[in-house]
Amino acid sequence: MAILSIPFSLPDLNVRRFNRSSGMAFASASKERATVGVRVTEGEGNLPKVVLSSPHGSEAEIYLFGGCVTSWKVADGKDLLFVRPDAVFNKKKPISGGIPHCFPQFGPGPIQQHGFARNMDWSVADSENIDGNPVVTLELKDGPYSRTMWNFSFQALYKVTLDAKSISTELRITNTDSKPFSFTTALHTYFHASVAFVSVRGLKGCKTLNKDPDPTNPLEGKEERDVITFPGFVDCVYLDAPNELILDNGLGDVITIKNTNWSDAVLWNPNLQMEASYKDFVCVENAKIGKVQLQPEQSWTATQHLKIA
């Protein structure tokens, strides 16, 4: 897909290009039309971000650096996502919080932790307004930076849709190379929470890979609890997880987490390893732990739907 221009109104940006060795995000002010509820502006550290605003009063923010959704507010103004206080917006490291991408590697491995997609500039490929709901599609392609670690040609499309009480994402990975490749991936979602009162339902019966106490040698087991809480350090993978989980964030909000094609789930809270902020968030992540194999021109697609009751 050729990136020509962003079909939005850009009241807060001059015509400019945002270049980096890892990719490019292009913003042009010469527009034939504007998409209602979608605009590009400057965020923290002067980094470009897309703001989605629904007529119902909900709002979301997505930084082009990392393709990272950093905010999801419902009509009462409460932000249901969490960005850590130590997060930096200078491109020297990934944005710590919101919904970072892990691609083409989840966790440790032969390339950098959680891959490179969260360290690259994504571009705006398209925008829509469907039944009043703002929609934006971001694109990431390989470049010199990614090829130093993972020498394949690919396209990632990330579609974000905002509704009154929900935010939905669709991630589509396409092999644009002449040879096959494999990858693992996840959405490392940080939810605002009161960790002492938070709970997750829906994982009973799943096979678990528990990284507490030894992260390098996960302990295999089976989840026997109906309700999972976070009394201390938690870092656990749930294999073949159901496509719907229920998160009670301990702050009076119940969030349904639905997905298609994200086969696994991860629960994480660092506890005292992150003493400044661990009490204020939990991560409930949709993941693909097993490798996805793609032949040339093949694609893989997964969706996530977050909705507040």
Side-chain angles (χ1 to χ4, degrees):
M1 179 184 295
I3 305 301
L4 300 177
S5 63
I6 304 176
F8 313 134
S9 58
L10 299 174
D12 302 310
L13 282 180
N14 296 320
V15 179
R16 62 198 330 188
R17 287 179 182 265
F18 303 95
N19 289 300
R20 189 174 188 262
S21 61
S22 59
M24 180 184 74
F26 177 59
S28 170
S30 57
K31 303 293 171 285
E32 295 180 359
R33 63 185 178 89
T35 301
V36 176
V38 183
R39 65 188 177 94
V40 175
T41 185
E42 289 186 348
E44 296 288 334
N46 297 320
L47 297 182
K49 68 180 180 181
V50 182
V51 179
L52 304 181
S53 303
S54 86
H56 312 286
S58 56
E59 186 173 278
E61 297 181 357
I62 309 119
Y63 276 77
L64 297 188
F65 178 67
C68 185
V69 180
T70 55
S71 178
W72 168 39
K73 294 178 181 177
V74 288
D76 64 4
K78 181 184 293 185
D79 202 331
L80 298 168
L81 299 180
F82 181 78
V83 174
R84 285 164 31 187
D86 61 344
V88 296
F89 293 80
N90 58 11
K91 296 192 178 184
K92 293 183 179 180
K93 60 183 294 188
I95 297 171
S96 300
I99 311 178
H101 288 276
C102 302
F103 174 83
Q105 174 184 288
F106 175 64
I111 65 174
Q112 66 187 27
Q113 174 88 358
H114 292 323
F116 50 70
R118 61 183 190 154
N119 294 308
M120 296 178 67
D121 284 327
W122 295 57
S123 300
V124 177
D126 195 15
S127 71
E128 306 171 79
N129 191 282
I130 301 174
D131 298 326
N133 299 318
V135 183
V136 67
T137 300
L138 305 185
E139 182 186 46
L140 180 69
K141 290 184 175 181
D142 56 286
Y145 173 74
S146 69
R147 282 184 171 270
T148 61
M149 291 173 275
W150 198 63
N151 193 25
F152 297 101
S153 175
F154 71 91
Q155 180 199 50
L157 292 175
Y158 190 51
K159 184 177 182 179
V160 183
T161 303
L162 181 69
D163 204 340
K165 294 186 176 182
S166 68
I167 186 169
S168 302
T169 66
E170 178 186 277
L171 178 63
R172 181 179 178 87
I173 307 295
T174 301
N175 182 347
T176 57
D177 211 313
S178 59
K179 56 187 181 291
F181 63 63
S182 63
F183 64 90
T184 59
T185 183
L187 296 178
H188 200 323
T189 308
Y190 287 71
F191 290 97
H192 225 123
S194 175
V195 74
F197 304 101
V198 73
S199 65
V200 176
R201 297 176 182 267
L203 290 166
K204 185 177 182 180
C206 290
K207 180 180 178 180
T208 57
L209 300 175
N210 193 349
K211 297 183 180 181
D212 179 25
D214 184 359
T216 62
N217 187 25
L219 181 66
E220 293 188 16
K222 181 179 179 181
E223 183 56 71
E224 302 290 352
R225 294 170 292 177
D226 288 309
V227 180
I228 300 168
T229 56
F230 294 74
F233 176 81
V234 173
D235 189 357
C236 190
V237 173
Y238 293 80
L239 300 176
D240 297 320
N243 61 11
E244 181 175 334
L245 304 178
I246 305 296
L247 168 67
D248 184 332
N249 67 10
L251 298 170
D253 307 301
V254 176
I255 300 169
T256 302
I257 304 168
K258 293 184 178 181
N259 83 83
T260 60
N261 222 24
W262 291 106
S263 58
D264 312 297
V266 181
L267 301 185
W268 179 66
N269 182 272
N271 200 252
L272 295 177
Q273 294 180 8
M274 203 172 291
E275 193 168 1
S277 60
Y278 81 91
K279 295 179 181 179
D280 299 320
F281 76 90
V282 294
C283 286
V284 183
E285 310 169 33
N286 280 313
K288 192 72 174 178
I289 303 299
K291 289 184 177 181
V292 178
Q293 305 277 347
L294 288 183
Q295 296 297 319
E297 300 184 7
Q298 283 188 334
S299 296
W300 173 87
T301 303
T303 67
Q304 175 174 272
H305 182 71
L306 310 178
K307 185 175 182 179
I308 187 170

